[in-house]
mmCIF file of all heavy atoms in Angstrom:
data_model
loop_
_atom_site.group_PDB
_atom_site.id
_atom_site.type_symbol
_atom_site.label_atom_id
_atom_site.label_comp_id
_atom_site.label_asym_id
_atom_site.label_seq_id
_atom_site.Cartn_x
_atom_site.Cartn_y
_atom_site.Cartn_z
ATOM 1 N N ARG A 941 47.905 184.362 -18.817
ATOM 2 C CA ARG A 941 49.303 184.461 -19.124
ATOM 3 C C ARG A 941 49.737 185.934 -19.112
ATOM 4 O O ARG A 941 49.075 186.856 -19.715
ATOM 5 C CB ARG A 941 49.682 183.850 -20.466
ATOM 6 C CG ARG A 941 49.235 182.406 -20.520
ATOM 7 C CD ARG A 941 49.848 181.737 -21.852
ATOM 8 N NE ARG A 941 49.235 180.456 -22.072
ATOM 9 C CZ ARG A 941 49.404 179.372 -21.421
ATOM 10 N NH1 ARG A 941 50.083 179.383 -20.326
ATOM 11 N NH2 ARG A 941 48.916 178.285 -21.838
ATOM 12 N N VAL A 942 50.899 186.212 -18.485
ATOM 13 C CA VAL A 942 51.392 187.561 -18.317
ATOM 14 C C VAL A 942 52.637 187.664 -19.116
ATOM 15 O O VAL A 942 53.624 186.955 -18.935
ATOM 16 C CB VAL A 942 51.666 187.996 -16.908
ATOM 17 C CG1 VAL A 942 52.255 189.358 -16.796
ATOM 18 C CG2 VAL A 942 50.353 187.850 -16.024
ATOM 19 N N SER A 943 52.697 188.577 -20.076
ATOM 20 C CA SER A 943 53.825 188.769 -20.954
ATOM 21 C C SER A 943 54.875 189.638 -20.161
ATOM 22 O O SER A 943 54.595 190.299 -19.233
ATOM 23 C CB SER A 943 53.452 189.466 -22.315
ATOM 24 O OG SER A 943 53.178 190.817 -21.967
ATOM 25 N N ALA A 944 56.218 189.458 -20.448
ATOM 26 C CA ALA A 944 57.340 190.229 -19.865
ATOM 27 C C ALA A 944 57.016 191.705 -19.901
ATOM 28 O O ALA A 944 57.423 192.413 -18.992
ATOM 29 C CB ALA A 944 58.605 189.781 -20.430
ATOM 30 N N ALA A 945 56.425 192.153 -20.909
ATOM 31 C CA ALA A 945 56.208 193.584 -21.096
ATOM 32 C C ALA A 945 55.131 194.120 -20.101
ATOM 33 O O ALA A 945 55.011 195.308 -19.959
ATOM 34 C CB ALA A 945 55.862 193.890 -22.523
ATOM 35 N N SER A 946 54.375 193.226 -19.446
ATOM 36 C CA SER A 946 53.253 193.639 -18.632
ATOM 37 C C SER A 946 53.537 193.497 -17.140
ATOM 38 O O SER A 946 52.790 193.439 -16.437
ATOM 39 C CB SER A 946 51.959 192.984 -18.970
ATOM 40 O OG SER A 946 52.131 191.644 -18.828
ATOM 41 N N ILE A 947 54.961 193.415 -16.936
ATOM 42 C CA ILE A 947 55.364 193.309 -15.497
ATOM 43 C C ILE A 947 56.327 194.404 -15.131
ATOM 44 O O ILE A 947 57.091 194.848 -15.950
ATOM 45 C CB ILE A 947 56.109 191.917 -15.252
ATOM 46 C CG1 ILE A 947 55.200 190.825 -15.456
ATOM 47 C CG2 ILE A 947 56.762 191.889 -13.855
ATOM 48 C CD1 ILE A 947 55.890 189.458 -15.402
ATOM 49 N N GLU A 948 56.133 195.056 -13.973
ATOM 50 C CA GLU A 948 56.983 196.096 -13.525
ATOM 51 C C GLU A 948 57.697 195.602 -12.275
ATOM 52 O O GLU A 948 57.259 194.744 -11.570
ATOM 53 C CB GLU A 948 56.275 197.376 -13.234
ATOM 54 C CG GLU A 948 55.220 197.310 -12.208
ATOM 55 C CD GLU A 948 54.406 198.551 -12.162
ATOM 56 O OE1 GLU A 948 54.634 199.476 -12.846
ATOM 57 O OE2 GLU A 948 53.482 198.699 -11.176
ATOM 58 N N TYR A 949 58.968 196.143 -12.004
ATOM 59 C CA TYR A 949 59.751 195.751 -10.878
ATOM 60 C C TYR A 949 59.986 196.886 -9.883
ATOM 61 O O TYR A 949 60.117 198.118 -10.329
ATOM 62 C CB TYR A 949 61.025 195.187 -11.422
ATOM 63 C CG TYR A 949 60.876 193.970 -12.144
ATOM 64 C CD1 TYR A 949 60.616 193.997 -13.600
ATOM 65 C CD2 TYR A 949 60.928 192.696 -11.512
ATOM 66 C CE1 TYR A 949 60.388 192.816 -14.314
ATOM 67 C CE2 TYR A 949 60.789 191.484 -12.329
ATOM 68 C CZ TYR A 949 60.492 191.616 -13.651
ATOM 69 O OH TYR A 949 60.187 190.488 -14.419
ATOM 70 N N PRO A 965 59.116 201.689 -10.155
ATOM 71 C CA PRO A 965 59.159 201.956 -11.670
ATOM 72 C C PRO A 965 59.068 203.443 -12.021
ATOM 73 O O PRO A 965 58.534 204.176 -11.119
ATOM 74 C CB PRO A 965 57.832 201.282 -12.166
ATOM 75 C CG PRO A 965 57.589 200.314 -11.110
ATOM 76 C CD PRO A 965 58.025 200.823 -9.818
ATOM 77 N N ARG A 1017 57.974 192.355 -7.891
ATOM 78 C CA ARG A 1017 57.391 192.534 -9.173
ATOM 79 C C ARG A 1017 55.899 192.439 -9.034
ATOM 80 O O ARG A 1017 55.270 191.890 -8.118
ATOM 81 C CB ARG A 1017 57.827 191.446 -10.176
ATOM 82 C CG ARG A 1017 57.272 190.067 -10.005
ATOM 83 C CD ARG A 1017 57.721 189.163 -10.971
ATOM 84 N NE ARG A 1017 57.034 187.911 -10.857
ATOM 85 C CZ ARG A 1017 56.897 186.926 -11.819
ATOM 86 N NH1 ARG A 1017 57.699 187.087 -12.944
ATOM 87 N NH2 ARG A 1017 56.255 185.937 -11.646
ATOM 88 N N ARG A 1018 55.167 193.012 -9.957
ATOM 89 C CA ARG A 1018 53.687 192.971 -10.080
ATOM 90 C C ARG A 1018 53.313 193.209 -11.494
ATOM 91 O O ARG A 1018 53.902 193.903 -12.266
ATOM 92 C CB ARG A 1018 53.075 194.012 -9.167
ATOM 93 C CG ARG A 1018 53.129 195.308 -9.570
ATOM 94 C CD ARG A 1018 52.338 196.301 -8.617
ATOM 95 N NE ARG A 1018 52.552 197.656 -8.955
ATOM 96 C CZ ARG A 1018 52.212 198.660 -8.269
ATOM 97 N NH1 ARG A 1018 51.648 198.549 -7.113
ATOM 98 N NH2 ARG A 1018 52.354 199.941 -8.669
ATOM 99 N N PRO A 1019 52.150 192.585 -11.832
ATOM 100 C CA PRO A 1019 51.568 192.884 -13.217
ATOM 101 C C PRO A 1019 51.120 194.330 -13.378
ATOM 102 O O PRO A 1019 50.655 194.946 -12.422
ATOM 103 C CB PRO A 1019 50.408 191.921 -13.242
ATOM 104 C CG PRO A 1019 50.430 191.094 -12.054
ATOM 105 C CD PRO A 1019 51.359 191.665 -11.028
ATOM 106 N N VAL A 1020 51.362 194.828 -14.613
ATOM 107 C CA VAL A 1020 50.897 196.199 -14.837
ATOM 108 C C VAL A 1020 49.424 196.133 -15.268
ATOM 109 O O VAL A 1020 49.158 195.383 -16.180
ATOM 110 C CB VAL A 1020 51.793 196.765 -15.970
ATOM 111 C CG1 VAL A 1020 51.275 198.147 -16.398
ATOM 112 C CG2 VAL A 1020 53.266 196.778 -15.525
ATOM 113 N N ALA A 1021 48.637 197.016 -14.773
ATOM 114 C CA ALA A 1021 47.249 197.092 -15.177
ATOM 115 C C ALA A 1021 47.203 197.832 -16.471
ATOM 116 O O ALA A 1021 47.604 199.042 -16.452
ATOM 117 C CB ALA A 1021 46.340 197.776 -14.140
ATOM 118 N N ARG A 1022 46.817 197.236 -17.570
ATOM 119 C CA ARG A 1022 46.693 197.916 -18.837
ATOM 120 C C ARG A 1022 45.293 197.847 -19.306
ATOM 121 O O ARG A 1022 44.521 197.105 -19.167
ATOM 122 C CB ARG A 1022 47.583 197.353 -19.853
ATOM 123 C CG ARG A 1022 49.066 197.596 -19.413
ATOM 124 C CD ARG A 1022 50.007 197.215 -20.491
ATOM 125 N NE ARG A 1022 51.351 197.304 -19.995
ATOM 126 C CZ ARG A 1022 52.393 197.863 -20.555
ATOM 127 N NH1 ARG A 1022 52.209 198.374 -21.744
ATOM 128 N NH2 ARG A 1022 53.505 197.965 -20.103
#
Side-chain angles (χ1 to χ4, degrees):
R941 300 190 195 292
V942 179
S943 70
S946 63
I947 295 175
E948 60 186 1
Y949 294 90
R1017 72 181 192 163
R1018 72 177 175 188
V1020 176
R1022 292 188 187 227

